[in-house]
Amino acid sequence: MALAIATCAFGFAGSAMPASRLASSAVSPTMALERKFWKSGATASSPSSGGKQDFLEATPYWDQSNVPVNTYKNKAPFIAKVVSVKRIVGPQATGETCDIVMDHGGKMPYWEGQSYGVIPPGINPKNGKPNSVRLYSIASTRYGDDMTGKTTTLCVRRATYWCPELKADDPAKKGVCSNYLCDSSPGDELKLTGPSGKVMLMPEKDPNVDLIMVATGTGIAPYRGFIRRLFVEKTPFGEVYNGLAWLFLGVANSDALLYDDDWQEIKKKFPNNFRVDYALSREQTNKAGGKMYIQDKVAEYADEIFSRMDKGAHMYFCGLKGMMPGITDMLQDVSKQKGLVWEDKLKEWKENGQWHVEVY
């Protein structure tokens, strides 16, 4: 995904996870590992020490003044190693999307909602210079998927170009960095820059805040970090969170859904705090009988969304920039129906820091 999407101290008890979070049926291997970790009360640096898991929290945990930004730059990138590369879409998906885990050894900390830059090897044939950095939203929490604080996950769709004359993908026009990442193997070294960005950070000071997350495709990445921090990991914000985390995801079909098993499991455990709605353009129809796009699905809940936003909710958008005109046009129409001036409403949300956009 081209453009989406750390170290302090906050102590909290390393007690067992509340029963409500452990009372599920099907549990993924990663979640099972994390729950064993929670119940032991261990730290990532010393799993058997029985200490507190507090090594990546701010003081207080919601303080964003020391969020790491541009720790590593283009001229002096960080060298990370690939841990795993896994295809995460079904056979009928429109394209290939991979979950890529990298080891940064705890030396490149980040916060949920930030991005890493990846510098692919090779020369740009257009200018004869080394390939430039590409930005990818981070799809894990600051603790990584294994709670060690030493890994980062990216969600990357392989960019290809179908040539109607060749009747095949044209290798000369494929996405340089996305293919490099999807073709990488465990042990491969990657040049990383960043972390970058503060636009997509979660507001953690209010445990009752509603988070409305809108994504197309791999724009799901930052929200995976959000949702894991809220409902999967034992974190200060997750321990007290009592708002609604509402995810909207637009993809072509069911096989293209990303991390759906995780969302369904979390939804079962936290029905009052997590909702997920999908827009499947090739399988669903909107109220006008046309294809169901992300703006159509959001429009179905426009009244509730406006109400929640007026009560302080935060709304996030991540994915292809082409989704935003449809979203804003829809919200403008809803505003008009409500007797509101959309430009004024949008200005209000922006000034209150409730409107977060990172598209590419």
Side-chain angles (χ1 to χ4, degrees):
M1 182 180 80
L3 187 63
I5 40 158
T7 46
C8 317
F10 176 85
F12 62 96
S15 57
M17 195 63 164
S20 61
R21 295 203 176 189
L22 292 168
S24 167
S25 50
V27 178
S28 69
T30 299
M31 288 183 175
L33 173 65
E34 287 166 354
R35 288 174 183 177
K36 180 179 179 181
F37 181 85
W38 295 331
K39 293 174 78 173
S40 72
T43 64
S45 59
S46 180
S48 61
S49 67
K52 296 177 181 178
Q53 178 207 312
D54 61 358
F55 60 106
L56 290 178
E57 299 297 330
T59 308
Y61 69 83
W62 60 79
D63 181 14
Q64 299 182 356
S65 60
N66 291 315
V67 174
V69 177
N70 296 326
T71 309
Y72 293 91
K73 300 179 174 60
N74 295 16
K75 292 184 179 180
F78 180 81
I79 307 301
K81 285 191 176 181
V82 175
V83 175
S84 65
V85 179
K86 179 176 65 175
R87 178 187 170 103
I88 56 172
V89 292
Q92 301 304 314
T94 52
E96 180 181 18
T97 300
C98 294
D99 177 276
I100 301 168
V101 180
M102 306 167 298
D103 183 0
H104 61 78
K107 299 177 181 178
M108 199 174 177
Y110 57 88
W111 279 31
E112 301 76 19
Q114 290 191 295
S115 301
Y116 267 1
V118 179
I119 303 176
I123 301 297
N124 185 335
K126 294 182 179 180
N127 56 25
K129 298 180 179 180
N131 282 318
S132 59
V133 65
R134 273 73 163 177
L135 293 179
Y136 293 85
S137 285
I138 295 171
S140 51
T141 75
R142 67 193 73 181
Y143 293 102
D145 286 357
D146 60 1
M147 296 301 291
T148 65
K150 296 180 179 180
T151 66
T152 308
T153 301
L154 300 182
C155 179
V156 181
R157 176 172 176 170
R158 186 189 296 274
T160 59
Y161 172 77
W162 179 265
C163 177
E165 295 180 0
L166 295 175
K167 294 185 179 180
D169 287 333
D170 185 344
K173 296 183 179 180
K174 66 180 182 180
V176 172
C177 197
S178 64
N179 283 270
Y180 165 62
L181 289 170
C182 291
D183 288 336
S184 62
S185 301
D188 287 354
E189 294 186 340
L190 303 175
K191 293 181 179 180
L192 304 179
T193 66
S196 63
K198 290 186 177 182
V199 172
M200 297 290 286
L201 298 179
M202 278 195 297
E204 299 194 5
K205 193 168 185 178
D206 178 7
N208 298 308
V209 66
D210 291 334
L211 305 172
I212 302 169
M213 303 163 281
V214 182
T216 56
T218 53
I220 194 75
Y223 310 138
R224 181 174 184 265
F226 289 6
I227 295 165
R228 288 178 66 83
R229 182 165 173 80
L230 291 172
F231 304 115
V232 178
E233 299 176 357
K234 181 177 179 181
T235 62
F237 190 36
E239 290 284 279
V240 300
Y241 186 68
N242 197 38
L244 174 68
W246 191 355
L247 174 64
F248 290 89
L249 174 62
V251 293
N253 57 31
S254 298
D255 264 15
L257 289 172
L258 302 172
Y259 306 110
D260 178 60
D261 289 346
D262 293 339
W263 311 147
Q264 298 307 321
E265 182 179 348
I266 293 169
K267 184 179 177 181
K268 288 179 182 178
K269 293 191 191 71
F270 305 99
N272 297 324
N273 301 103
F274 179 68
R275 289 165 63 177
V276 58
D277 283 282
Y278 293 138
L280 307 177
S281 61
R282 299 191 181 184
E283 294 180 5
Q284 300 172 333
T285 55
N286 58 28
K287 64 179 182 180
K291 291 184 176 181
M292 175 72 77
Y293 291 112
I294 190 68
Q295 63 267 24
D296 302 313
K297 180 57 66 174
V298 174
E300 292 181 2
Y301 303 93
D303 287 342
E304 183 177 357
I305 288 172
F306 266 74
S307 176
R308 290 183 181 275
M309 288 294 287
D310 285 340
K311 294 176 182 177
H314 283 240
M315 196 165 189
Y316 296 80
F317 301 90
C318 189
L320 296 173
K321 63 182 179 182
M323 77 172 178
M324 289 311 296
I327 290 284
T328 54
D329 287 348
M330 179 274 294
L331 292 174
Q332 185 171 19
D333 289 342
V334 173
S335 296
K336 186 175 181 180
Q337 295 170 16
K338 292 177 173 293
L340 303 171
V341 177
W342 166 241
E343 290 76 10
D344 293 342
K345 179 56 66 176
L346 179 59
K347 181 180 178 182
E348 174 189 328
W349 290 345
K350 286 182 175 180
E351 290 179 346
N352 291 338
Q354 298 172 256
W355 185 263
H356 310 261
V357 179
E358 194 159 79
V359 293
Y360 44 92

